[in-house]
Amino acid sequence: MFTNLFSKCPKCGESINSGSTKCSKCKIEIKSSFGVEKDFYSDLFLELAEKNNIISKNEAEIIYNEYKSLLNTEYPQKIEEILLSQEKTDIKTISKLIAAALRIIDKNFCREAVKKGLITKNQALEALSIQKKLFKNQSLKSAADILKEKDHLNDSQIKEILSTVSITKPDKDEDDYKPLTKLWQEEDKKMKIKEIKNKISPKNLKICELGIKYKFFSAETIEKYAFQWAKDPLSKDLDFIDFIETKGLIDKNKRILLNIHCEYQNLKKSDIEFLKLGILYKFITKKNAEAVFKKQNSIFKEQYKLIPVCKILYNNNLITKSQIKEILSEQNRKGLAQKLKSDPDLINENSSTNKKSEENPLNSGFASKEEIQIEISNDSMKALLYPLPKKIKVEDIKSVLAEKGVQYGVLSDDLIQVFINKNPDTPIEVASGSPPVEPVNSEIKCHFSQNYLNVGNVDEQGNIDFMDRGEIPVAEPGQLLAEKIPLKNGKNGLDIFGNPILVEEAQDCFIEAGQGTRLDETENKIYAIEKGQPHISIDGKVSVFNTHEIKGDVDFNTGHIEFDGNIIIHGSIKPGFRVSANDITAKSAMDAIIKSRGQVEIKNGINGGKIFAQQGLSAKFTNQAEITACGNVNIEKEILESKIKTSGLVTVKSGRIISSLVSAKGGIDSRHIGTEVSTPSIIEIGKDSYLEKILAPYLASQKNIDSEINNLKEEIALVYAKEKQSHIEIAKKAQVQDKASQALKQLREHYELVSGSVKPKTVNEIKSKIDELSLKIKNTEKTIDSLFQSQDEYKNILSGHSSKLKTLEENKIKILGQIESIKNYDNSIEPSPVLIVHGTIEKGTKIFGPNSVWEVNETSKNIRISEITTTDEAGNKIYFLKKDKNNK
């Protein structure tokens, strides 16, 4: 036997000595050295680690050179030990690499032996199969040794094959080659499924199989929920069937049905053996057995009753009690034998009529209401009825439920009776509440790339190409740009006491057609009407922008720039100048004010000034700048004495964060933080301190509109009061006019009667009164006309105010929608309280998580800091920042 080529066990990763024949931990026997040179194995081992992105090509060369330099020294190290000491991976992955390397050596060995015509393909496959079985049975042996033991190869042939074996994979792999990482993922998944299955009771597994059989759910769905169940810490007190019921995969009726079918499957299995034994002992005929089996199945289908075949046989005088007892004893079904002994339908074997049951101490009378056990869950969503060794009346169960206040979701009398008849060992959910249906907020689905200005594209090996910034999207006229997915309102639930479980209202988002777009008739879809670059702002406005280029600088020649589109500035933005646009690209910026509704890219650096970028920023460096963003901030070199707040990830590729405040909801990834002589930086991770500043102008607009609305409503109320008063005045004047007209009519009639028969003085008095009344009526008419004119003016004012109020309220709804869209946008970004430092982080740096704070007490290298949540003995949440070694 040759010396072992590896220092770690390929089964468990435990350290083993060169001459060891057994692993001390997993006890696998090492019966072969695989007959290859040390360099051959080391090359293959490192090649596998490199191909599977565990180490880079450069790291592989460094590790190999270290291995070679130590090989002939007093303290040589094997390749696995060096890789592990470099902290590039863990023990588990090391063991997988060893196993994979040995497997590839043997596959290539067998392939070469077949190619040379020394063995057949079937002999090679047989050897690999035997090797796999041996490995599972704690024994490690090479295919060469197995083929030698089978007399398919001799020592000289093995030596000849090993001299020509290549470690590279052939163009066509006859053994269905898969990438190792994929194979490992599949193995881990299989192991995980096996672990989860071991946690699920056999009965629940059977229920799941039946559920799949009857198409209550699919196998894929069950697997998905099984992973959730195993992962969810809150499900540890729930068995798997309880868990999938809480997820709505089955309801209580389906669960009862599956439980009954499961019991029936178990009964059938035992009863088939009973009938076989009955036929073997010649107690019954095969024909009788088939008829009884069909009868049992028929009873179950029609009544869902579980009747043992022995009972059916006995009731039809086809078997005796002693014969039943003999078979049941053979089957070790003593419990059923005892039950049948006391069953009222089974009397002594010599009597076929007037059967009288032996008294069963478990069924002597009915349980009292006090004995009935009903347990209410903590969330008041279900009531469990526990089985009793006595019969229970349905009406007593319903009475106990009523006394406890349970009034909703109670099982029907028939289903409760099924439970009573079955008398199982487990409780039944006798009442269940109706869980609430959570609302689904509306959302905007974009049909174009929003984050095209990425950090760089990642290739298959995980390397980032920082020169590849992605393609800029271009919209064509008529192209669908975005659509609003309508909200779905939730539904309140009810607990078993009839109390409502309220859900929040679904939140609606705002969508608006901006420049170069149109809203369709449904007001849910936005299409382009011109060619250009599509864009959606964080407040829900979709636009298509063209591009404006400035050949030189933004200075006194150009003045401030404000443009509804994208701007490319080939020069610099000079001190004191303002630039406002969508995407903004410039060579550099110096004490400028930049407002972008999209991306900002400063190719060189930023010296001073204030920048607001709705959807991210990239620059070579920042110095004494204030930056607020709703996206990733990518800085190539340094962040110096700056203040940065963003919703995304802050990345400093190759430089330092120095004397700055950097707050990033999406976390921070930097090469270095601080210097020995600089003021310590303040780092905030997973916090949303940027949101208040972003919402400030919207909230100010809302406040102004609210003030205008209140003032306008007061004016409307005042004008409306004046209009109402004018109505009253018109009514009063009309009454006065009407009375005066009636009096005038009477005076004129009287004047005509007396004008020739009375004294002239009296006639003149009547004539004077007529003139007085006529003047009064004329003046009243003028007043009424004036009031009507005022009333028209009031109506015009009210109409104008109402129109203005409608516009203000529409604007308010729009702003509230924009605010809600911004909040929804922010809520869609998962906080990542993680700081990764690839180089050094200096002492004194203060790190703030959402709920915790930590000051770096000593200069550290290559670390990863993240906020962790745990609980104290009283169950209260405790937050702290955890420091780990950064292995990435």
Side-chain angles (χ1 to χ4, degrees):
M1 176 167 172
F2 297 101
T3 303
N4 293 332
L5 291 169
F6 38 86
S7 59
K8 300 289 178 186
C9 175
K11 185 84 171 179
C12 67
E14 181 74 8
S15 296
I16 54 175
N17 297 324
S18 298
S20 296
T21 59
K22 183 180 286 190
C23 172
S24 61
K25 184 176 180 181
C26 69
K27 306 303 180 185
I28 189 170
E29 290 186 302
I30 304 168
K31 295 185 175 180
S32 175
S33 66
F34 286 76
V36 293
E37 295 294 331
K38 290 182 180 179
D39 284 357
F40 183 98
Y41 167 75
S42 301
D43 286 344
L44 176 58
F45 185 87
L46 288 175
E47 184 179 328
L48 287 172
E50 181 190 335
K51 282 184 176 180
N52 288 278
N53 298 321
I54 295 166
I55 54 174
S56 67
K57 187 174 182 179
N58 185 47
E59 288 169 335
E61 289 177 3
I62 293 170
I63 292 169
Y64 185 75
N65 289 335
E66 184 177 347
Y67 161 75
K68 291 288 286 183
S69 65
L70 295 171
L71 197 59
N72 297 316
T73 65
E74 188 178 351
Y75 302 103
Q77 279 189 300
K78 294 195 175 178
I79 203 73
E80 308 98 316
E81 294 287 359
I82 297 173
L83 180 60
L84 202 60
S85 68
Q86 296 278 338
E87 297 184 349
K88 303 298 181 184
T89 187
D90 53 22
I91 287 289
K92 186 178 179 182
T93 306
I94 289 284
S95 65
K96 285 181 177 181
L97 283 172
I98 295 170
L102 301 183
R103 189 71 173 159
I104 288 174
I105 289 169
D106 271 341
K107 279 190 174 184
N108 289 351
F109 178 90
C110 290
R111 188 181 289 109
E112 196 67 30
V114 172
K115 192 187 292 184
K116 289 180 178 293
L118 299 174
I119 59 172
T120 66
K121 185 177 179 180
N122 287 338
Q123 287 171 338
L125 292 173
E126 180 191 19
L128 292 171
S129 177
I130 291 170
Q131 185 196 52
K132 192 173 183 180
K133 289 176 182 176
L134 287 170
F135 188 72
K136 285 183 178 179
N137 293 323
Q138 305 294 84
S139 180
L140 183 63
K141 184 178 286 189
S142 71
D145 285 348
I146 294 168
L147 288 165
K148 182 181 175 182
E149 289 172 3
K150 292 276 185 181
D151 293 328
H152 296 320
L153 292 173
N154 56 40
D155 288 336
S156 61
Q157 289 172 326
I158 291 172
K159 189 174 181 181
E160 178 190 349
I161 296 165
L162 288 173
S163 66
T164 56
V165 170
S166 170
I167 64 170
T168 56
K169 179 173 70 71
D171 294 335
K172 268 192 173 180
D173 197 326
E174 299 169 347
D175 298 320
D176 297 325
Y177 177 85
K178 290 183 181 178
L180 291 176
T181 47
K182 188 171 182 180
L183 283 171
W184 293 345
Q185 287 171 0
E186 290 173 357
E187 288 171 4
D188 289 344
K189 187 177 179 182
K190 285 178 183 176
M191 288 297 294
K192 188 67 178 174
I193 291 171
K194 189 175 179 182
E195 287 174 12
I196 294 170
K197 277 189 174 182
N198 289 336
K199 293 179 182 178
I200 300 173
S201 68
K203 181 179 178 181
N204 283 348
L205 285 173
K206 186 66 178 178
I207 288 173
C208 290
E209 290 171 8
L210 289 169
I212 294 166
K213 177 182 176 182
Y214 298 130
K215 298 185 178 178
F216 288 168
F217 37 71
S218 66
E220 291 77 16
T221 304
I222 280 292
E223 184 178 297
K224 169 188 158 188
Y225 279 106
F227 278 105
Q228 286 184 18
W229 174 73
K231 188 177 179 182
D232 188 352
L234 299 176
S235 68
K236 62 182 180 181
D237 296 328
L238 290 174
D239 73 12
F240 183 58
I241 300 301
D242 285 334
F243 178 76
I244 64 172
E245 188 174 353
T246 62
K247 297 296 182 182
L249 198 59
I250 57 171
D251 56 27
K252 58 180 180 300
N253 291 332
K254 284 181 180 176
R255 180 171 179 175
I256 291 169
L257 191 63
L258 289 174
N259 264 309
I260 293 172
H261 275 273
C262 184
E263 294 293 336
Y264 181 51
Q265 294 292 327
N266 293 334
L267 179 65
K268 277 205 304 184
K269 185 177 178 181
S270 299
D271 278 356
I272 288 170
E273 184 184 350
F274 182 96
L275 293 172
K276 285 180 178 178
L277 288 170
I279 295 167
L280 180 66
Y281 297 158
K282 299 188 185 228
F283 294 160
I284 56 174
T285 65
K286 186 177 180 182
K287 187 176 180 180
N288 286 340
E290 290 173 353
V292 166
F293 196 66
K294 285 180 182 178
K295 179 68 175 175
Q296 182 193 51
N297 191 46
S298 175
I299 293 170
F300 178 74
K301 282 185 176 180
E302 292 171 7
Q303 305 173 39
Y304 284 115
K305 286 186 176 179
L306 305 176
I307 311 296
V309 290
C310 56
K311 185 172 180 178
I312 300 171
L313 285 165
Y314 184 80
N315 287 344
N316 287 275
N317 297 317
L318 297 173
I319 199 168
T320 67
K321 279 184 84 173
S322 60
Q323 289 170 337
I324 291 172
K325 185 178 179 181
E326 185 177 344
I327 297 173
L328 291 178
S329 298
E330 179 75 17
Q331 286 186 281
N332 200 25
R333 294 167 78 186
K334 295 177 182 178
L336 180 59
Q338 177 65 27
K339 187 174 180 181
L340 291 172
K341 180 180 177 183
S342 56
D343 195 303
D345 289 336
L346 294 176
I347 59 168
N348 62 74
E349 58 184 296
N350 297 320
S351 174
S352 60
T353 59
N354 299 321
K355 298 177 182 175
K356 294 181 181 179
S357 66
E358 299 175 21
E359 185 178 358
N360 183 356
L362 298 180
N363 290 312
S364 56
F366 289 93
S368 65
K369 285 168 60 175
E370 290 73 21
E371 293 178 288
I372 295 172
Q373 297 179 51
I374 292 177
E375 180 185 328
I376 308 295
S377 64
N378 292 334
D379 59 2
S380 301
M381 288 300 289
K382 61 183 177 181
L384 294 178
L385 170 63
Y386 284 85
L388 285 174
K390 293 183 180 181
K391 292 183 180 179
I392 318 173
K393 292 180 181 178
V394 174
E395 54 266 29
D396 287 344
I397 293 170
K398 302 284 278 285
S399 176
V400 173
L401 286 169
E403 289 172 6
K404 288 179 176 287
V406 177
Q407 55 181 290
Y408 178 79
V410 179
L411 285 182
S412 67
D413 293 1
D414 291 340
L415 286 173
I416 295 175
Q417 191 62 56
V418 168
F419 172 78
I420 293 170
N421 293 341
K422 279 182 60 187
N423 194 27
D425 297 330
T426 55
I428 185 177
E429 199 169 303
V430 72
S432 57
S434 176
V437 177
E438 293 299 324
V440 179
N441 296 337
S442 64
E443 61 175 324
I444 299 173
K445 181 181 179 182
C446 283
H447 294 278
F448 59 88
S449 174
Q450 300 174 65
N451 299 314
Y452 64 90
L453 196 61
N454 44 47
V455 179
N457 284 331
V458 182
D459 60 22
E460 293 179 357
Q461 283 73 41
N463 299 316
I464 299 176
D465 182 1
F466 286 92
M467 301 299 291
D468 186 358
R469 304 306 298 275
E471 293 184 5
I472 297 174
V474 176
E476 299 290 340
Q479 179 181 334
L480 175 63
L481 299 177
E483 60 182 313
K484 177 180 173 181
I485 309 300
L487 60 80
K488 292 182 182 177
N489 286 315
K491 184 181 177 183
N492 293 336
L494 275 176
D495 64 20
I496 58 176
F497 300 118
N499 301 316
I501 304 169
L502 304 178
V503 297
E504 295 181 357
E505 289 187 7
Q507 298 297 314
D508 203 4
C509 66
F510 177 79
I511 188 169
E512 181 184 0
Q515 174 185 322
T517 67
R518 68 173 177 85
L519 199 61
D520 75 346
E521 59 279 359
T522 67
E523 297 189 348
N524 283 329
K525 292 184 178 181
I526 292 180
Y527 293 86
I529 58 176
E530 59 185 48
K531 186 173 181 177
Q533 183 183 332
H535 170 78
I536 181 168
S537 61
I538 60 173
D539 58 7
K541 181 184 275 189
V542 181
S543 307
V544 171
F545 294 122
N546 52 21
T547 301
H548 173 55
E549 290 193 47
I550 296 173
K551 300 297 183 182
D553 299 329
V554 174
D555 53 19
F556 287 103
N557 292 319
T558 62
H560 300 306
I561 303 292
E562 187 169 339
F563 181 63
D564 282 337
N566 301 328
I567 291 180
I568 297 175
I569 301 164
H570 292 279
S572 301
I573 306 173
K574 295 299 184 180
F577 286 90
R578 298 190 303 271
V579 177
S580 177
N582 185 55
D583 285 353
I584 299 171
T585 303
K587 188 176 180 182
S588 62
M590 296 171 282
D591 288 320
I593 297 173
I594 300 172
K595 291 183 180 180
S596 164
R597 295 182 294 279
Q599 305 267 1
V600 172
E601 183 176 11
I602 309 299
K603 295 183 181 296
N604 287 341
I606 303 167
N607 279 294
K610 294 183 179 181
I611 298 177
F612 172 74
Q614 272 196 10
Q615 294 177 331
L617 174 142
S618 62
K620 195 167 189 178
F621 67 85
T622 68
N623 177 25
Q624 297 181 342
E626 185 176 331
I627 298 167
T628 304
C630 274
N632 294 338
V633 174
N634 305 307
I635 306 299
E636 187 179 346
K637 297 293 184 182
E638 275 83 29
I639 297 176
L640 176 62
E641 295 181 1
S642 297
K643 186 185 292 184
I644 297 176
K645 294 183 178 182
T646 182
S647 66
L649 168 71
V650 172
T651 305
V652 183
K653 179 187 171 186
S654 59
R656 294 178 184 270
I657 298 173
I658 305 171
S659 303
S660 297
L661 165 63
V662 182
S663 178
K665 186 177 181 181
I668 298 172
D669 190 323
S670 179
R671 175 59 59 183
H672 306 285
I673 296 180
T675 66
E676 291 180 357
V677 295
S678 64
T679 304
S681 292
I682 296 174
I683 305 297
E684 295 179 347
I685 47 177
K687 301 182 74 174
D688 57 0
S689 55
Y690 60 92
L691 190 60
E692 184 179 343
K693 186 170 182 179
I694 291 169
L695 289 175
Y698 293 92
L699 295 172
S701 295
Q702 181 195 346
K703 187 177 179 180
N704 290 337
I705 288 176
D706 284 337
S707 178
E708 285 187 62
I709 287 173
N710 291 333
N711 292 337
L712 196 57
K713 283 182 176 179
E714 288 177 5
E715 288 183 35
I716 288 172
L718 185 62
V719 174
Y720 182 74
K722 289 180 179 179
E723 186 201 25
K724 188 176 179 181
Q725 186 61 38
S726 71
H727 274 292
I728 296 169
E729 292 295 324
I730 289 170
K732 286 179 179 180
K733 296 296 182 185
Q735 279 184 335
V736 170
Q737 188 182 40
D738 187 55
K739 287 179 180 179
S741 297
Q742 291 294 329
L744 181 61
K745 182 181 178 183
Q746 290 174 0
L747 279 172
R748 281 174 174 169
E749 289 173 353
H750 184 58
Y751 177 78
E752 290 174 2
L753 288 173
V754 301
S755 60
S757 59
V758 296
K759 294 177 180 181
K761 184 180 179 182
T762 303
V763 172
N764 289 335
E765 287 176 354
I766 294 171
K767 179 75 167 59
S768 178
K769 287 183 178 180
I770 288 172
D771 291 341
E772 186 181 331
L773 275 173
S774 295
L775 182 61
K776 184 177 182 180
I777 289 170
K778 190 175 181 179
N779 289 335
T780 303
E781 282 179 352
K782 285 182 179 178
T783 303
I784 289 173
D785 286 341
S786 177
L787 287 169
F788 272 121
Q789 189 176 352
S790 296
Q791 201 172 51
D792 288 340
E793 289 175 1
Y794 293 147
K795 284 179 179 177
N796 289 333
I797 293 170
L798 285 173
S799 176
H801 283 358
S802 295
S803 178
K804 187 176 179 182
L805 181 63
K806 183 180 178 182
T807 301
L808 285 171
E809 287 178 337
E810 286 174 351
N811 288 340
K812 181 180 177 180
I813 290 170
K814 179 179 175 181
I815 287 177
L816 288 174
Q818 290 170 330
I819 290 170
E820 195 61 38
S821 293
I822 293 170
K823 287 181 178 179
N824 289 340
Y825 175 87
D826 180 64
N827 289 335
S828 69
I829 302 169
E830 286 293 328
S832 179
V834 176
L835 168 65
I836 296 174
V837 181
H838 299 277
T840 58
I841 179 169
E842 293 294 336
K843 177 182 177 181
T845 305
K846 287 187 178 179
I847 303 166
F848 293 83
N851 305 285
S852 56
V853 62
W854 178 58
E855 182 173 336
V856 179
N857 50 25
E858 61 178 354
T859 300
S860 303
K861 288 185 178 181
N862 198 29
I863 64 169
R864 183 182 191 274
I865 298 170
S866 55
E867 187 173 86
I868 302 297
T869 308
T870 185
T871 54
D872 60 17
E873 294 178 357
N876 301 312
K877 282 189 176 181
I878 300 173
Y879 301 91
F880 65 94
L881 288 167
K882 182 184 177 186
K883 172 184 169 184
D884 295 305
K885 194 75 174 175
N886 177 34
N887 292 320
K888 293 185 178 180

